[in-house]
Amino acid sequence: MFRIVKKQELSDMVTLFEIEAKTIARKAKAGNFFVLRINEQGERIPLTIADFDTLRGTITTVFQKVGKTTHHLGMLNEGDYISDVIGPLGAPSHIENFGKIVCVGGGVGIAPVFPIARALREAGNKVISIIGARSKDLIFWEDNMRSVSDELIVVTDDGSYGKKAVVTVPLDEILREQKDVARVIAIGPAIMMKFVCVTTEKHNVKTIVSLNSIMVDATGMCGACRVEVGGETKFACVDGPEFDGHKVDFALLMSRQRMYPEEEKLSFERFKKIAGVQ
Amino acid sequence: MEETKQKSRVKMSEQEPLTRAKNFMEVPYGYTPEEAVKEASRCLSCLRPRCRNGCPVSVDIPSFIKLIKEGKFIEAAWKIKEENALPAVCGRVCPQETQCESLCILGKKGEQIAVGNLEKFVADYERGKGEVRVPEKPKPTGRKVAVIGSGPGGLTCAADLIKSGHQVTLFEALHKPGGVLVYGIPEFRLPKVIVEKEVEYIKSLGVEVVLNAVIGNLYSVDELLGEHGYDACFIATGAGLPVFLGIPGENLNGVYSANEFLTRANLMKAYLFPEYDTPIKKGKRVAVFGGGNVAMDSARVALRLGAQKVFLIYRRSEEEMPARRAERSHAHEEGVEFIMLTSPVRLIDDGKGNVCGVECLKMELGEPDQSGRRKPVPIKGSEFQIEIDVAIPAIGTRSNPLLTKTMPDLRLDRRGYIVADHETGMTSKEGIFAGGDIITGSATVILAMGAGRKAAQAINEYLKWKFWDTRKFVT
């Protein structure tokens, strides 16, 4: 059993948990993820490790309430327990001094970009960060991101905060003006990562994306998370989650993410009835 | 009359095929005590019994059958447990027809003695009576052993080591112990309560079980042997990564590796969705590719999830199938349609990213290949299509690199399996033993148990002398 030691509502739909998991915190690295299962009936879902504190023995995650499991998770409070927490999983980010880096975080993708930006900065890189979301209330961790970036750009789709733009607009500007960007790291919804890759491909800048496919065991055993990278099938859980974005088949990723529309709806409707969620 | 009775074995009663194909309850009911005695009485008590030689863990088969004859069922269970910690499991999943039973002399004139059925009977009898015997605690040796993976190999090794007086920790990556016994083999073939009981048993012996522990990521093996103070380590992480067919369309929605399909259904209980959260595509027309036990399990799970049609597609003929005879006949009886000498060439997209069909090619048997079985050769122009909405390749696994990639100093073979001595499990690295599918590739529960047992003996020896002979690993 793993205790939730801190809960913070970052917006109506986005929640932060700090979970006590001493051994995972000790081993976690930027780019890792973990899997949790709320209770005996629960499914195993992968979530990003947004931060980790070796001294307190905690890991931090940020999730958006979209379906049954994430809504259920969002109803848990500080002091509550989660049945299973498994990690750290996935290969950590490749960190070295590349020179100049642009980190792009979209929506809840801002959270996992943070430790990567921090590690890259600590390795001596100049870090420019772009964070974006649909609207103001979905932007979080602006201060955190500012603290690990040499420059931070905030955008919203509707212009309710920062610049009114999608993340690819400032990204395109930067890549046009600054020819010394060594690589781009992008984490967010699949559609955002796809357009980031379209943009960076024009400028021929290597781009790393972190793929959030459906997983079950997340240790390579089941293959639920398979993605195509450079025409080859890869398992996001053990071969990734980070891949060269220019080689990723995003259409397939998005199609596979939508494998269970009816089941997800059924499960969520049932949960809403039981839990009295609006 | 007596003569004919002797020739055929006592049938085990089981659920009717059409009833059981709609539920997840165990198929055979098992012998009654009377039936068990009757079947055991067929045993000729040979002077030089051959059955025992066919058992990978050398269970004293003649003795336990004799005890059944005498009505001493509990004693029979203990007799098996001298060599085999998991009789309730082995009675159900061992390929007895190619092992102990294949050597039974009764087979010359009739049916061999039903060793598997009898083993299942006594193990269930012992459990039902609640008289599971916990042996006396041995004198502690002060040595600590880490066992990685709680499948049949790990469970056996841990049970043997704790009986030798060592302190044993069993690490499991998943949230439930049992490995393939829990995620792979379905409820109707091996009820999960049996695995739970076996795990409880080894816990009662003193084994510490740590779940959710992905060794390599959470602790490295070097850390276990170093700061955590373990004196030796047994790696029994199983086979791992599923193999796909290598044909177009394999990443379409509705295409599952057998591992994924079975894990969702068994470990995650997707057959109870939405009461349990994990979903599974309940196909109406399901194709399973392969001819092993895992293929049979997948086909029969698909039926139980409500499929109208389940096709079992295999590129050789039924004779060449590696699946247990019981699994094949159960699948037939339940209505799985066997399409033999057929190989899939592509999976067809419905235009929305879902699989809607499979194109196949007919095969004929040519010359024997490396495995000694006749090699299937495609027949030109024999393409045909089958409409399906779920496809399940069940064609084996390859090595999982999760743990081994964190151990650059451990020797692996070309395919990524750990190089280890088959008699002792000793690897190229001192203090580290390995066994089961992670050294052999996909095999059986009983072979993994055999490896666990041999490794436990070798670990005992190693812990006495701390001597590591690496000569055999020098190339």
Side-chain angles (χ1 to χ4, degrees):
Chain A
M1 298 290 268
F2 297 80
R3 196 161 60 98
I4 300 164
V5 292
K6 183 181 160 191
K7 179 185 184 179
Q8 189 186 349
E9 305 279 7
L10 298 176
S11 76
D12 281 355
M13 299 311 280
V14 179
T15 307
L16 174 149
F17 274 171
E18 227 176 276
I19 302 167
E20 207 168 58
K22 210 181 276 172
T23 42
I24 300 176
R26 200 173 53 92
K27 279 299 180 75
K29 289 197 173 71
N32 281 144
F33 67 95
F34 72 102
V35 160
L36 67 75
R37 190 180 74 129
I38 298 179
N39 56 19
E40 179 56 30
Q41 289 75 33
E43 60 181 335
R44 293 169 65 102
I45 60 160
L47 290 175
T48 52
I49 297 180
D51 206 352
F52 38 91
D53 187 329
T54 324
L55 287 177
R56 298 181 61 211
T58 60
I59 55 171
T60 302
T61 191
V62 173
F63 59 91
Q64 187 166 358
K65 288 178 260 187
V66 283
K68 193 258 152 173
T69 298
T70 43
H71 273 91
H72 187 177
L73 206 55
M75 290 172 73
L76 300 181
N77 290 307
E78 280 174 19
D80 287 346
Y81 285 84
I82 294 167
S83 177
D84 303 285
V85 172
I86 305 108
L89 297 166
S93 304
H94 177 53
I95 304 292
E96 64 171 69
N97 190 352
F98 297 104
K100 191 188 277 183
I101 301 269
V102 179
C103 289
V104 183
V108 280
I110 297 168
V113 155
F114 167 68
I116 300 172
R118 180 175 60 191
L120 286 167
R121 188 110 180 285
E122 280 167 4
N125 291 281
K126 182 172 162 52
V127 176
I128 304 172
S129 296
I130 305 170
I131 61 174
R134 273 202 312 279
S135 58
K136 183 184 174 184
D137 56 326
L138 293 170
I139 294 282
F140 61 92
W141 277 17
E142 188 184 342
D143 290 345
N144 275 358
M145 285 304 294
R146 199 177 301 284
S147 72
V148 297
S149 310
D150 294 276
E151 190 186 339
L152 177 72
I153 299 159
V154 184
V155 296
T156 51
D157 294 3
D158 63 1
S160 55
Y161 191 67
K163 268 190 211 167
K164 180 179 181 346
V166 289
V167 291
T168 46
V169 175
L171 176 64
D172 192 50
E173 276 170 24
I174 293 166
L175 296 180
R176 245 185 297 142
E177 287 160 16
Q178 306 183 37
K179 296 295 174 198
D180 56 344
V181 174
R183 63 168 63 192
V184 172
I185 317 288
I187 306 181
I191 189 78
M192 180 209 90
M193 293 191 282
K194 178 186 160 176
F195 282 106
V196 164
C197 289
V198 170
T199 307
T200 57
E201 216 163 5
K202 270 195 316 207
H203 298 282
N204 204 16
V205 178
K206 187 172 174 85
T207 303
I208 303 296
V209 293
S210 181
L211 304 185
N212 48 343
S213 34
I214 294 175
M215 296 182 186
V216 185
D217 70 292
T219 59
M221 190 263 282
C222 86
C225 64
R226 49 198 201 280
V227 290
E228 279 178 31
V229 182
E232 267 181 69
T233 296
K234 297 277 181 193
F235 290 3
C237 69
V238 286
D239 298 322
E242 294 185 358
F243 291 101
D244 180 342
H246 294 163
K247 294 182 179 164
V248 170
D249 182 341
F250 284 103
L252 179 72
L253 174 71
M254 287 185 263
S255 168
R256 287 188 63 81
Q257 285 174 337
R258 289 190 303 262
M259 182 146 165
Y260 299 100
E262 296 96 21
E263 290 84 353
E264 279 167 8
K265 190 162 171 251
L266 177 71
S267 180
F268 191 29
E269 293 301 322
R270 184 175 175 274
F271 177 73
K272 282 196 282 193
K273 241 182 246 161
I274 294 168
V277 179
Q278 294 311 302
Chain B
M1 185 67 194
E2 192 59 32
E3 181 72 2
T4 49
K5 239 197 288 177
Q6 286 276 328
K7 273 188 182 165
S8 52
R9 40 172 76 168
V10 177
K11 291 266 170 302
M12 202 160 42
S13 60
E14 52 188 36
Q15 285 195 63
E16 286 301 315
L18 294 181
T19 312
R20 72 185 191 232
K22 293 189 184 72
N23 68 52
F24 275 82
M25 286 181 291
E26 191 172 16
V27 171
Y29 295 119
Y31 283 151
T32 61
E34 296 72 30
E35 287 169 336
V37 171
K38 194 173 163 198
E39 176 62 19
S41 302
R42 293 176 59 233
C43 179
L44 299 176
S45 308
C46 306
L47 273 178
R48 264 172 302 190
R50 301 192 299 166
C51 48
R52 196 174 180 178
N53 301 335
C55 178
V57 297
S58 308
V59 165
D60 187 350
I61 297 166
S63 297
F64 98 74
I65 291 183
K66 183 163 174 281
L67 287 165
I68 296 175
K69 267 192 221 177
E70 295 163 1
K72 295 177 182 163
F73 304 139
I74 298 278
E75 289 81 353
W78 292 344
K79 180 53 76 182
I80 301 177
K81 280 192 169 174
E82 286 174 10
E83 305 301 336
N84 176 350
L86 310 171
V89 173
C90 289
R92 290 170 165 85
V93 305
C94 253
Q96 290 95 1
E97 72 256 31
T98 60
Q99 298 177 358
C100 49
E101 293 177 6
S102 73
L103 300 171
C104 176
I105 199 86
L106 287 177
K108 294 215 163 150
K109 287 193 172 165
E111 275 188 295
Q112 296 95 337
I113 193 108
V115 180
N117 294 355
L118 290 171
E119 183 180 26
K120 169 174 152 45
F121 166 76
V122 292
D124 291 355
Y125 185 88
E126 184 198 23
R127 202 178 54 252
K129 285 278 176 221
E131 288 182 38
V132 177
R133 184 168 69 167
V134 178
E136 269 179 52
K137 282 236 153 58
K139 213 174 115 229
T141 61
R143 302 288 197 190
K144 244 171 101 175
V145 186
V147 176
I148 305 172
S150 69
L155 285 174
T156 304
C157 189
D160 281 4
L161 288 168
I162 199 91
K163 287 180 197 158
S164 302
H166 309 304
Q167 196 184 324
V168 182
T169 313
L170 181 57
F171 293 101
E172 167 56 47
L174 290 169
H175 58 264
K176 278 206 169 80
V180 71
L181 306 176
V182 169
Y183 75 75
I185 303 177
E187 178 75 18
F188 56 82
R189 198 146 83 78
L190 178 63
K192 296 311 146 215
V193 57
I194 288 171
V195 185
E196 280 163 26
K197 292 274 183 190
E198 299 291 4
V199 173
E200 266 170 45
Y201 171 72
I202 73 152
K203 276 188 183 168
S204 74
L205 299 178
V207 173
E208 183 196 5
V209 179
V210 182
L211 302 175
N212 297 324
V214 184
I215 303 301
N217 293 22
L218 199 58
Y219 310 107
S220 70
V221 170
D222 282 343
E223 281 171 333
L224 292 177
L225 293 177
E227 61 198 79
H228 292 273
Y230 289 94
D231 298 287
C233 169
F234 178 57
I235 302 175
T237 50
L241 275 57
V243 174
F244 288 87
L245 296 156
I247 60 174
E250 263 187 317
N251 293 332
L252 289 169
N253 286 339
V255 184
Y256 289 104
S257 74
N259 271 5
E260 182 185 355
F261 189 72
L262 293 174
T263 299
R264 283 181 182 272
N266 302 334
L267 176 71
M268 306 309 298
K269 297 205 176 349
Y271 63 92
L272 298 174
F273 178 88
E275 194 189 321
Y276 277 69
D277 291 341
T278 304
I280 193 165
K281 284 273 168 233
K282 295 181 175 171
K284 290 192 177 63
R285 293 169 64 86
V286 179
V288 177
F289 306 100
N293 290 323
V294 174
M296 301 299 146
D297 286 346
S298 303
R300 295 171 70 200
V301 166
L303 270 182
R304 283 159 173 78
L305 288 173
Q308 291 157 5
K309 265 281 180 216
V310 177
F311 305 99
L312 189 103
I313 299 175
Y314 184 50
R315 63 202 181 105
R316 302 177 195 257
S317 66
E318 196 174 333
E319 272 166 44
E320 281 91 13
M321 272 192 179
R324 288 173 91 218
R325 193 170 45 208
E327 310 316 323
R328 288 201 318 252
S329 54
H330 279 148
H332 273 298
E333 288 161 17
E334 289 166 12
V336 173
E337 193 172 315
F338 283 46
I339 304 180
M340 299 295 97
L341 288 166
T342 300
S343 200
V345 286
R346 74 183 171 103
L347 291 157
I348 304 162
D349 189 342
D350 70 348
K352 292 180 208 146
N354 307 305
V355 64
C356 69
V358 58
E359 187 171 299
C360 298
L361 207 53
K362 279 284 179 201
M363 314 292 275
E364 57 190 353
L365 291 178
E367 294 299 309
D369 64 7
Q370 282 171 331
S371 72
R373 297 177 298 180
R374 292 175 67 192
K375 190 182 156 78
V377 185
I379 303 172
K380 255 197 190 147
S382 65
E383 289 88 349
F384 67 103
Q385 294 189 351
I386 306 172
E387 189 189 319
I388 54 167
D389 53 3
V390 164
I392 307 169
I395 55 167
T397 55
R398 56 202 164 95
S399 59
N400 190 334
L402 197 68
L403 175 61
T404 50
K405 77 177 178 212
T406 67
M407 305 175 70
D409 48 349
L410 185 70
R411 179 159 322 152
L412 307 178
D413 72 10
R414 236 172 350 102
R415 299 172 305 156
Y417 293 107
I418 297 172
V419 175
D421 177 39
H422 283 250
E423 284 311 305
T424 61
M426 285 170 86
T427 69
S428 60
K429 195 169 148 92
E430 175 161 358
I432 296 172
F433 299 76
D437 284 5
I438 191 63
I439 75 166
T440 58
S442 314
T444 60
V445 167
I446 188 70
L447 286 173
M449 290 177 55
R453 156 139 298 190
K454 285 177 185 167
Q457 285 162 359
I459 289 169
N460 267 334
E461 285 306 305
Y462 169 68
L463 294 180
K464 277 181 211 155
W465 313 107
K466 289 266 177 138
F467 172 71
W468 203 257
D469 183 2
T470 52
R471 277 172 306 181
K472 55 180 67 132
F473 298 105
V474 178
T475 45

